[in-house]
Amino acid sequence: MVDFDDPITLANNLLSTPIGRAQGFYDKKEIFAARLRFSFVFHSTEHKGSIDFAGADPLMNKTRDISVIGTGDFFMTRGIATLMADAFQGEVYFRLRVDIELYECY
């Protein structure tokens, strides 16, 4: 199991302005499947709140979809996040591109 607390940036560059933190865990039992549970906690001036993610992460698939639920500015939203790993360094470091589609549930 790997715990993480990493910056969220809009650009594909670690030195770009952070807009929040990605906090959670990644549990890999085998190469074909893993579990993800994490939150994006936003602290920028534009958005405050969090988006929570949970689901299976079949590593052999190029893209993976997991469920999304929101709090704060994202209250009463639900959706799907599409994950794409675009950088690896061993088994511990990886970088994710996350495309989020949110739906209001009012």
Side-chain angles (χ1 to χ4, degrees):
M1 181 183 294
V2 176
D3 289 329
F4 56 88
D5 182 5
D6 299 320
I8 301 170
T9 60
L10 289 176
N12 193 7
N13 181 344
L14 185 60
L15 300 177
S16 66
T17 303
I19 59 169
R21 308 278 312 162
Q23 303 168 328
F25 73 86
Y26 170 77
D27 181 12
K28 184 179 93 166
K29 296 219 178 249
E30 59 183 71
I31 189 71
F32 299 107
R35 290 181 302 175
L36 284 173
R37 177 73 175 98
F38 62 98
S39 299
F40 284 178
V41 181
F42 294 97
H43 55 69
S44 70
T45 56
E46 188 174 349
H47 296 292
K48 301 234 186 273
S50 69
I51 300 176
D52 299 313
F53 305 84
D57 186 20
L59 297 171
M60 299 306 287
N61 297 355
K62 184 175 179 177
T63 62
R64 288 93 66 199
D65 294 324
I66 62 174
S67 60
V68 172
I69 188 167
T71 65
D73 286 348
F74 308 100
F75 182 70
M76 293 297 290
T77 58
R78 306 292 181 264
I80 303 259
T82 302
L83 308 177
M84 295 151 278
D86 65 357
F88 291 99
Q89 184 176 348
E91 291 189 13
V92 178
Y93 173 82
F94 59 93
R95 183 176 64 202
L96 285 179
R97 175 180 168 177
V98 181
D99 292 332
I100 304 168
E101 186 74 35
L102 295 176
Y103 307 97
E104 289 188 85
C105 296
Y106 291 107

